[in-house]
Amino acid sequence: SETATVAVLPFNINGDVAELSYVREGLADYLINQLSQASNLQVVAKRSSFANFDATIDARGLGSMLGADYIIDGTLEGVAGQQLTATVYLVDTDSGTNRAARQVVWAGADIPGLQHALFDSAVASLDKVLRVRFDKQPHMPGPVNPAAYRAYLEAKYQWSLRGEARIRRAIGLLQEAIGIEPRFAEAHLALGQALAIEPLYTDRSVSAAFTAARNYAAQAEALDPIFKPDVDALEGYMLKQEWRWPEALARLERALQADPDNLMANYWYSILLSTLGRFEEALTYIEVAHRQDPVSPFLNDRLAVANVWLGNMEAAAARYELAA
């Protein structure tokens, strides 16, 4: 069956960059996450796409650099919360030509709705070159207050960088997002994840952090059951930290059975397998996570550790250097 590799590049902003930058971030995340659900697409992770993005490199060069057959990019202009015009382009990296262009004009503050409309446009464009196949219906997000969504996006960015100040900032932003939008399931899940790792970077007690994390994770699943694999992965991590290893294994394996490509489930499962002395399996699972986001600092660090356990010191040194 026909398959293709797709990279999503940062959309160009025409207008107030400060106001539209968070919309662009959310748009890229949504397109990558949703297109990754297609059974016949390989999608380059956002950090890899953005880290290698250089406006002076042509489509053929970017395609070679990213290993992509097609590039999705576009433009975004207008005023957030009022009217936005987004144009999606599908570029063939072999010929360097546009294969399709579609425009969406969106009035109002429902940014997740705009993201889904652009996802539909991206799929329609891809369907011109290959039939995109989904084994299940892509998830349609509910409307979210723009201020809450902006706080959520900044929090996800802060969380990805780790460190005490970053984690505390992420937690504060997510609490702000939930205060504005109490039924914002993604923010509840993200806050649970941030609280669970907070004791690694601060002096907060594990017991208090995990109790709060479990409460927010349960709320996320109650608001939207699609997040159950993520909640299972998070619970598996916390059980591992509590030395409840058989329960942790079962919970992480359940998450991976439901969602084999779940990045955090693969990451935390790899850590647990190393703890149990199953080093070759640990390397396999962190490689699955790493393929989804090859320039993530914490994934490269974990990949380095997995190689150390197997005595692959040259590979470990290269990963440590890249992580740094």
Side-chain angles (χ1 to χ4, degrees):
S1 60
E2 189 177 6
T3 62
T5 299
V6 177
V8 178
L9 297 185
F11 277 33
N12 293 311
I13 296 175
N14 298 324
D16 189 328
V17 173
E19 280 299 308
L20 293 181
S21 60
Y22 81 97
V23 179
R24 176 172 79 166
E25 289 290 307
L27 172 60
D29 278 339
Y30 188 78
L31 288 177
I32 288 169
N33 291 339
Q34 294 294 80
L35 290 172
S36 295
Q37 304 303 311
S39 58
N40 60 334
L41 290 181
Q42 295 290 323
V43 184
V44 179
K46 188 178 96 170
R47 281 197 190 89
S48 294
S49 295
F50 280 34
N52 288 288
F53 175 70
D54 182 340
T56 66
I57 301 176
D58 64 16
R60 291 180 180 179
L62 281 171
S64 176
M65 188 180 299
L66 298 169
D69 302 303
Y70 299 98
I71 288 172
I72 293 174
D73 69 355
T75 59
L76 189 63
E77 59 184 315
V79 179
Q82 296 181 30
Q83 179 168 296
L84 294 173
T85 300
T87 305
V88 180
Y89 299 102
L90 179 69
V91 182
D92 185 325
T93 61
D94 185 47
S95 64
T97 59
N98 283 343
R99 296 296 297 271
R102 301 175 71 91
Q103 189 174 84
V104 173
V105 178
W106 196 261
D110 177 19
I111 300 304
L114 168 63
Q115 291 170 358
H116 195 75
L118 288 171
F119 164 71
D120 285 342
S121 293
V123 171
S125 297
L126 284 164
D127 276 342
K128 291 181 177 294
V129 294
L130 80 163
R131 186 69 181 174
V132 182
R133 297 193 305 274
F134 291 92
D135 295 331
K136 59 184 179 181
Q137 190 69 19
H139 179 240
M140 173 65 179
V144 178
N145 178 286
Y149 199 68
R150 184 172 188 171
Y152 165 77
L153 289 174
E154 184 185 343
K156 292 284 284 184
Y157 171 74
Q158 298 288 346
W159 182 82
S160 72
L161 295 177
R162 304 296 200 269
E164 179 175 358
R166 300 285 191 176
I167 294 298
R168 290 193 188 277
R169 174 67 175 157
I171 289 170
L173 286 164
L174 290 166
Q175 289 170 335
E176 177 185 329
I178 291 170
I180 298 169
E181 188 77 78
R183 296 187 61 80
F184 191 178
E186 290 93 332
H188 282 88
L189 175 64
L191 183 51
Q193 293 171 332
L195 287 165
I197 67 168
E198 186 184 13
L200 298 176
Y201 302 96
T202 72
D203 58 0
R204 186 173 188 186
S205 76
V206 171
S207 175
F210 282 10
T211 296
R214 285 179 166 120
N215 287 337
Y216 282 107
Q219 184 67 15
E221 185 178 343
L223 288 168
D224 194 337
I226 197 172
F227 295 115
K228 182 171 177 52
D230 300 279
V231 172
D232 282 337
L234 178 59
E235 179 62 21
Y237 162 74
M238 291 188 286
L239 289 168
K240 183 264 179 189
Q241 295 299 95
E242 294 169 336
W243 295 66
R244 296 158 63 182
W245 294 344
E247 294 170 81
L249 274 173
R251 190 60 72 97
L252 285 163
E253 286 166 358
R254 188 165 79 182
L256 289 167
Q257 184 175 15
D259 184 4
D261 294 323
N262 188 289
L263 189 150
M264 295 310 300
N266 279 282
Y267 173 70
W268 283 325
Y269 193 49
S270 173
I271 293 174
L272 178 56
L273 290 172
S274 287
T275 302
L276 298 173
R278 294 161 59 179
F279 301 126
E280 291 186 1
E281 291 174 87
L283 179 61
T284 298
Y285 281 93
I286 194 58
E287 286 175 339
V288 172
H290 179 261
R291 282 196 294 271
Q292 297 179 55
D293 198 351
V295 298
S296 163
F298 77 91
L299 290 178
N300 275 286
D301 182 79
R302 175 64 212 156
L303 187 54
V305 173
N307 275 289
V308 166
W309 283 115
L310 288 170
N312 304 330
M313 296 308 179
E314 288 188 10
R319 292 300 166 189
Y320 277 130
E321 184 177 358
L322 184 56

